Amino acid sequence: MRIGIPRETKNHEYRVALTPAGVRELHLRGHEVLVETNAGAGSSFTDDEYVTGGARIVPDAAEVWGEAELMLKVKEPTSEEYQHLHSDLTLFTYLHLAASRETTTALTDAGVNAVAYEMVQSADGRLPLLAPMSEVAGALAPQIASHTLIKSHGGRGILFGGVTGVHGAEVVIIGAGVSGMRAAQIAAGMQARVVLLDNSIDALHAADRFFRGAVQTVYSTTDAVERAVATADVVIGAVLVPGAKAPRVVTNEMVAAMKPGSVLIDIAVDQGGCFEDTRPTSHDEPTYVVHDSVFYAVSNIPGAVPVTSTAALTNATLPYAVLLAERGFDAAVSTSSALAGAVNIAHGQLVAQAVAEAHDLEWRPLAD
C-alpha cells in the first residue's frame, strides 16, 4: 500500500505521524511510504533519516495526498488540506469531529474513510492511541499553569509550589483519567495543593491508592465543582467522553466567582471543551481573559514537545497502521473491533453517532 505522511499544517504543530523507525517497519513489510519534505523537521528528524528508513521524499503536500491510499497524520485536516481529500483515501489521525462540523462535512463530501486515533478502544476499555498524548497534555498542564500564574503573564502572582511558610497554588483537576491523573501527579510533585474530582468512585479509589493522601479526591457533582472552583488558583479540565462533545462542567457563573488572575486550562478543548467559555486558541496566542481569569485552551498542547510526543505517538499507532496497510480499510475494520469502533466515516458516510448528534447530521451504523 502507498502510505502518506504529510507535514502538519496546524499552528505550531511540530509533531509528525511516524518516526523514521516507524517508517522502516512499514517499508520492511513491503509498503511504499511517501514523506513530504521536512515533515519531520519539527520533531528533529531529517529527510535523510526517513530515506534511510525506506521512505520516498516528495516535494509538496499535493503529491503526498494525491498518491496516498492510507494517510497517517497527527491532527485533523485543516481547511487548506480539504482540497487534497479524495475518495480512494483512508485517513488515520486524531479527528475530534464532534468539535468541528466543517471538518466532518469536508470529509464526508470527499468520500474518504476516516478512522480516529482517539476512539480506538481495547477490549479492556482503554484508549491506547489517545493515552500517550493525554499523558503529555496532563504533564504539561501544571507547568503551563505555573508559568501563567506569574503576574506579568496575567496571573495572580502566585508561586505554584509556594515557599517555606507560604502556601502554594490550590489546583483543582476535573477528571481522573489519564490526563487528569498525570496532571495531579505533576502538580503534587511541584508541591501545589491538589484536589482531584471525578464522577467515578472506582477512579477516585484508584487515585487514593496511587497518591496515598498527597492529593485530595472529591466526588464530582455540580455543587462540588462549584465549591472547588470558587477557591482555586488553577482549574485543569480533563473530562473525556470518547468520540463525543465534552460536557460543560465549569459555567460562566462559576468563573465569575473565581479569584482575579486565576488560571483555567482546558485539556478537553479538542472535544469542544469542558468549560462554558472555552474557545480554541493556538500556541501563538494561547490565552484570553474571562471575568479577570486567564483561559488557556490550545487545541494541540502536545505539539509543544514534539520530540517526546512523536515518539510516544508512533509507539501507540504503529500496530494499527500496519493492520490498515496489510489488510486495507474494509478488511481491517471487519476483523478488528478496536478499529471498527474508531471509524467516523466509511466511504463518505458518517457512521459515528456521537458526531452526528453533535452537529444534527444523519448517520448510519457501520454494519450497514
Side-chain angles (χ1 to χ4, degrees), residues 190-201:
M190 294 171 69
Q191 298 186 321
R193 296 172 291 160
V194 182
V195 178
L196 180 63
L197 293 94
D198 200 283
N199 59 6
S200 165
I201 290 293

Side-chain angles (χ1 to χ4, degrees), residues 64 105 109 177 186 197 264 268 342 344:
V64 178
T105 301
D109 286 350
I186 297 299
L197 293 94
L264 297 97
N344 281 208

Side-chain angles (χ1 to χ4, degrees), residues 6-338:
R7 186 169 62 246
E8 296 294 321
T9 58
K10 195 176 184 73
N11 179 272
H12 285 284
E13 181 52 76
Y14 301 110
R15 290 172 290 178
V16 63
L18 282 183
T19 63
V23 167
R24 186 183 182 197
E25 290 299 314
L26 292 170
H27 173 71
L28 290 174
R29 292 172 178 270
H31 304 292
E32 182 181 7
V33 184
L34 287 66
V35 177
E36 185 181 353
T37 299
N38 292 325
S43 295
S44 298
F45 297 121
T46 67
D47 287 350
D48 286 344
E49 289 177 283
Y50 282 107
V51 170
T52 300
R56 173 160 64 92
I57 303 299
V58 296
D60 56 46
E63 186 172 347
V64 178
W65 284 92
E67 291 194 39
E69 299 167 282
L70 172 63
M71 182 63 77
L72 304 179
K73 285 184 90 282
V74 177
K75 295 298 292 179
E76 71 282 352
T78 59
S79 58
E80 64 191 85
E81 293 174 313
Y82 294 166
Q83 62 182 316
H84 302 310
L85 298 170
H86 56 87
S87 59
D88 295 325
L89 182 71
T90 294
L91 176 64
F92 191 34
T93 187
Y94 288 117
L95 286 172
H96 300 291
L97 293 186
S100 175
R101 184 188 179 105
E102 179 187 9
T103 306
T104 303
T105 301
L107 293 172
T108 53
D109 286 350
V112 303
N113 300 311
V115 187
Y117 288 165
E118 72 274 11
M119 292 177 64
V120 173
Q121 192 164 10
S122 59
D124 60 1
R126 293 183 303 107
L127 301 170
L129 276 60
L130 183 62
M133 296 304 98
S134 295
E135 188 174 359
V136 171
L140 281 174
Q143 300 178 56
I144 293 165
S146 176
H147 179 79
T148 310
L149 276 174
I150 295 172
K151 191 69 172 179
S152 60
H153 297 157
R156 296 196 66 225
I158 291 177
L159 184 62
F160 196 81
V163 293
T164 303
V166 181
H167 279 303
E170 182 172 329
V171 179
V172 171
I173 300 170
I174 306 173
V178 173
S179 58
M181 284 290 287
R182 187 61 168 160
Q185 184 181 16
I186 297 299
M190 294 171 69
Q191 298 186 321
R193 296 172 291 160
V194 182
V195 178
L196 180 63
L197 293 94
D198 200 283
N199 59 6
S200 165
I201 290 293
D202 289 342
L204 295 179
H205 276 307
D208 277 334
R209 290 192 297 269
F210 182 84
F211 290 113
R212 298 185 179 184
V215 169
Q216 182 181 0
T217 60
V218 176
Y219 185 78
S220 183
T221 62
T222 299
D223 184 72
V225 171
E226 191 174 71
R227 288 173 181 270
V229 167
T231 60
D233 300 302
V234 174
V235 178
I236 297 173
V239 178
L240 173 70
V241 178
K245 264 195 163 183
R248 298 296 174 91
V249 295
V250 175
T251 66
N252 181 276
E253 290 75 16
M254 292 179 191
V255 175
M258 293 180 72
K259 294 174 281 192
S262 53
V263 174
L264 297 97
I265 297 177
D266 198 341
I267 295 175
V269 61
D270 274 341
Q271 291 291 100
C274 59
F275 306 151
E276 183 179 352
D277 293 296
T278 290
R279 56 176 174 81
T281 61
S282 69
H283 289 289
D284 273 341
E285 297 182 22
T287 62
Y288 57 96
V289 176
V290 177
H291 295 307
D292 296 321
S293 292
V294 183
F295 274 61
Y296 180 101
V298 173
S299 56
N300 59 328
I301 294 174
V305 286
V307 174
T308 299
S309 296
T310 293
L313 182 62
T314 297
N315 292 343
T317 61
L318 185 59
Y320 298 95
V322 167
L323 184 60
L324 284 166
E326 299 280 274
R327 301 189 181 181
F329 173 78
D330 288 338
V333 301
S334 295
T335 57
S336 169
S337 59

